[in-house]
Amino acid sequence: MANLILETRGLTKSFGAVTAAADVNIKINEKEIIGVIGSNGAGKTTFINMVTGYLKPSTGTILFRGRDITGFSPMQVTKAGICRSFQVAQLFPELTTLENMLVAHSMLSKKRLSIQRPLKSKANVNAAMEALTGYGIESYGDGPVTTLPQGVRKLLDIAMAMVGSPALLLLDEPTSGVAIEEKFALMDTVMGAVNRSGATNLFVEHDMEIVSRYATRVIAFYDGRVIADGPTAEALANPEVKEFIVGSELHRQQSEGGEHAGN
Amino acid sequence: MHIADKTPRNLCIALCVLLAFGTIMPNWFAFLATVSMAKGMVVIGLIVLMRTGLVSFGQGLYYCLGGYTVGIAGKYLGITDAVGILFVSAFVAGCVGALLGLLLCRYREIFFAMLTMALSMILFGMLVKSDMLGSTDGFNVAHPTLLGWNPGPEGLSIMIYSLACLIAFLIVFFVHRYFQSGMGFAGESIRENEIRVEYLGISPRRVIFYKYVLAAILAAIGGSLTALVAGHVDPEMAYWTTSGEFVFVALLGGTGHVVAAFIGAFLYELIRTLAFDLTPYTWQMILGITLLMVILFLPKGLWSLLTAYKTGRG
């Protein structure tokens, strides 16, 4: 029996009359790579937001390695060992790529922030450059983040989340906003880094091709509920998943592809 | 790739020049320079906050607190040693700053600005009502001594000037390194993206709390030096226009470097003195136009001129 790393029990979140997540019960084992699918507004991001402390669940419990982390702040969740990336990359726009990495490095190092030792010491810069190299974005080091291409921003966002070697990594749509032809290269880089670190990984994704290539298990959300949870092929073959998610995603991709062709 | 930081070396040279210059400068100039340095210290505290994305319109609170601590320590406690008094001021401001910081670290933007201003106006109101401390007139500060040496009225301004130079040097040295440190960058990170900072496991509130206390201590040291050199304190030090002056100076000098605060403060004092001389009734207009020009043409302050010159040459 594999080790349980995250468990949610009866997780529910409602905003007034709208229920964004209803009775979500999920068990995640160590080293799993889970793809989360679902149409927009199905509750995928709400789930990540609740686990990482951005939203407080209305009811239910979140257990991380058996410890109750319900109601933890993002800061406490991070310290516990869960890191996340964002659908829209959350960076420090006026700092350079290297400075972004240096800041992440100093903050996640678990040591007190120094008040006199320079952040850009040789050792720190080397460590940060090494981290950037792991994602193939070291050549962007000196440029301000505002000038970065979308794909590099997403990679930097994920690289910064990975600095603290989290036990569990939650990626919210790592490939959104990235050109179709770059998606696989980006996922290869990310998955390579995740595998090296040995972190358990959960990612939200709309592209079924990416889900079937990288995920070992799929959790499907529809209308705030989990409608399927199982090995990738099995979950994707589920009739409800086919009807509510895969079908609509196919349409979505066709229209996206159409736009690309049009361009 | 690695560029050596020349600031420490330049600072040592500047200190020696300023100290040497002090032996020949007239008293009125020593006074002007001391007040500029004192205000520059308050502005450095403000810059620490501004880099974090917070503008305090109430640094007058600690400026005044520092000044009154000097006055009260001399008048009622018999402490006249300048260095000892500065430590007492810094300590008092640190305690008050820590107390108010607990409240203020929860607020951002305009709410932070207004709350800091309101708090300084509370002190102003309290001082105006307290007859024992001279109400609106304030009171005179006892002549300070320095480590047992009493310079007398003649040598006083030069003694305070030298002390101010030395303290300014230490503060600039400390804060310059602070800006390069992990804690310094944490401020800019909070300004840029507070959510990300939380997800890097750092509490923005705690960082802001420490920065607020640091700014309070720096403002109190500035206020103490002003009180020592002027020999007088009054509630005007806590009035909102005084706090506004510090914001003015910060915008004038820019937040790019610690030294910018002193350049800004000195120019401000100079412009104000000259404007008052030229047009005694409309001098505020000259200051207003200056600020307008700076905001329109040098939004990053005078320091950006130097940065532009450096990058142009490099």
Side-chain angles (χ1 to χ4, degrees):
Chain A
M1 168 89 197
N3 285 330
L4 196 63
I5 187 162
L6 186 82
E7 182 181 1
T8 65
R9 289 181 192 157
L11 214 53
T12 301
K13 178 71 192 179
S14 39
F15 301 97
V18 181
T19 305
D23 193 27
V24 177
N25 296 289
I26 288 175
K27 284 183 180 176
I28 296 173
N29 293 319
E30 266 178 30
K31 309 274 192 230
E32 274 192 296
I33 297 174
I34 300 172
V36 173
I37 58 172
S39 46
N40 292 329
K44 310 177 299 292
T45 300
T46 306
F47 173 73
I48 289 189
N49 282 344
M50 283 193 289
V51 172
T52 56
Y54 190 69
L55 288 174
K56 296 225 182 320
S58 308
T59 55
T61 354
I62 305 163
L63 300 171
F64 178 63
R65 288 179 161 158
R67 177 180 171 208
D68 189 351
I69 60 161
T70 322
F72 269 32
S73 68
M75 195 184 85
Q76 290 169 307
V77 169
T78 306
K79 283 191 172 153
I82 303 177
C83 285
R84 73 172 289 184
S85 76
F86 299 82
Q87 193 177 345
V88 176
Q90 296 291 319
L91 307 168
F92 308 119
E94 280 197 24
L95 305 184
T96 67
T97 306
L98 178 63
E99 284 169 344
N100 267 268
M101 196 40 127
L102 283 165
V103 167
H105 206 266
S106 72
M107 289 185 171
L108 285 170
S109 72
K110 297 193 173 69
K111 278 183 276 181
R112 285 176 141 255
L113 287 176
S114 112
I115 58 165
Q116 288 290 287
R117 273 196 312 281
L119 183 70
K120 293 184 181 173
S121 71
K122 240 176 206 147
N124 287 352
V125 170
N126 286 345
M129 282 311 274
E130 198 180 310
L132 291 176
T133 311
Y135 293 81
I137 52 175
E138 71 281 4
S139 60
Y140 296 96
D142 288 329
V145 158
T146 36
T147 62
L148 293 182
Q150 195 59 242
V152 179
R153 278 188 207 205
K154 300 287 275 197
L155 279 174
L156 179 58
D157 187 52
I158 296 166
M160 283 165 74
M162 285 292 288
V163 167
S165 330
L168 175 62
L169 179 69
L170 307 171
L171 305 174
D172 194 358
E173 304 204 20
T175 66
S176 77
V178 177
I180 288 181
E181 56 269 26
E182 289 171 19
K183 282 187 177 182
F184 282 99
L186 183 140
M187 284 304 281
D188 278 339
T189 310
V190 171
M191 290 303 165
V194 170
N195 286 340
R196 279 198 300 278
S197 80
T200 308
N201 180 10
L202 179 146
F203 65 96
V204 172
E205 184 54 62
H206 283 292
D207 190 325
M208 293 306 143
E209 251 186 279
I210 288 179
V211 172
S212 38
R213 173 152 357 161
Y214 298 100
T216 55
R217 173 180 159 195
V218 164
I219 298 174
F221 277 80
Y222 180 74
D223 200 19
R225 290 173 300 113
V226 174
I227 56 168
D229 179 356
T232 308
E234 225 171 88
L236 291 181
N238 179 305
E240 267 195 304
V241 172
K242 274 188 161 166
E243 185 186 346
F244 294 126
I245 305 168
V246 180
S248 63
E249 290 302 334
L250 276 178
H251 290 303
R252 186 183 136 116
Q253 267 174 34
Q254 270 160 10
S255 65
E256 264 185 23
E259 277 166 29
H260 268 270
N263 290 338
Chain B
M1 171 97 185
H2 194 75
I3 304 160
D5 188 0
K6 285 184 186 156
T7 304
R9 189 202 68 186
N10 293 348
L11 277 179
C12 292
I13 297 172
L15 178 69
C16 296
V17 171
L18 284 173
L19 285 177
F21 199 46
T23 55
I24 52 163
M25 67 172 57
N27 269 352
W28 67 267
F29 191 83
F31 178 81
L32 191 77
T34 310
V35 172
S36 308
M37 279 191 280
K39 287 189 173 170
M41 291 170 199
V42 189
V43 174
I44 288 178
L46 193 57
I47 290 177
V48 170
L49 291 172
M50 283 168 101
R51 280 181 164 230
T52 313
L54 298 164
V55 181
S56 164
F57 270 97
Q59 288 314 90
L61 169 65
Y62 299 102
Y63 184 66
C64 182
L65 200 65
Y68 270 73
T69 306
V70 168
I72 292 168
K75 197 173 177 184
Y76 296 103
L77 308 175
I79 307 173
T80 54
D81 184 73
V83 176
I85 260 177
L86 283 171
F87 273 108
V88 176
S89 281
F91 179 74
V92 170
C95 293
V96 175
L99 199 68
L100 300 182
L102 288 176
L103 172 76
L104 283 165
C105 69
R106 297 162 166 268
Y107 295 88
R108 304 289 182 273
E109 294 166 13
I110 191 73
F111 307 102
F112 180 88
M114 288 296 114
L115 209 52
T116 51
M117 187 200 265
L119 289 168
S120 79
M121 289 306 287
I122 289 174
L123 179 66
F124 174 80
M126 277 161 49
L127 291 175
V128 164
K129 295 279 176 212
S130 63
D131 293 328
M132 207 174 78
L133 295 174
S135 185
T136 48
D137 293 334
F139 61 96
N140 286 335
V141 174
H143 271 300
T145 54
L146 185 65
L147 308 171
W149 172 54
N150 190 343
E154 288 304 303
L156 186 70
S157 68
I158 215 68
M159 175 187 93
I160 303 297
Y161 168 80
S162 309
L163 185 65
C165 284
L166 215 64
I167 293 168
F169 171 79
L170 292 174
I171 288 174
V172 170
F173 196 78
F174 173 83
V175 178
H176 177 69
R177 285 175 62 100
Y178 178 81
F179 282 157
Q180 316 295 321
S181 73
M183 197 64 170
F185 272 92
E188 282 164 290
S189 308
I190 289 171
R191 182 192 67 206
E192 295 287 302
N193 194 338
E194 198 170 327
I195 289 176
R196 183 74 209 211
V197 171
E198 281 185 59
Y199 276 107
L200 291 174
I202 293 289
S203 158
R205 282 187 186 176
R206 187 175 293 181
V207 173
I208 288 170
F209 172 82
Y210 288 136
K211 285 178 187 279
Y212 183 75
V213 173
L214 174 64
I217 291 172
L218 291 174
I221 295 174
S224 307
L225 283 169
T226 307
L228 286 173
V229 73
H232 184 83
V233 288
D234 62 49
E236 201 74 8
M237 290 173 90
Y239 200 59
W240 66 272
T241 52
T242 310
S243 302
E245 215 171 78
F246 299 133
V247 178
F248 184 120
V249 173
L251 292 174
L252 185 67
T255 58
H257 198 276
V258 208
V259 175
F262 291 111
I263 298 171
F266 185 71
L267 278 175
Y268 174 82
E269 289 299 316
L270 215 59
I271 295 170
R272 197 176 64 164
T273 312
L274 290 177
F276 201 76
D277 237 27
L278 280 170
T279 56
Y281 300 105
T282 52
W283 61 276
Q284 289 104 329
M285 207 168 76
I286 296 184
L287 278 181
I289 292 169
T290 314
L291 185 61
L292 197 66
M293 291 297 167
V294 169
I295 290 175
L296 283 179
F297 299 111
L298 290 170
K300 290 195 167 176
L302 288 168
W303 191 260
S304 59
L305 282 178
L306 202 75
T307 327
Y309 172 72
K310 269 187 186 167
T311 42
R313 210 177 43 169

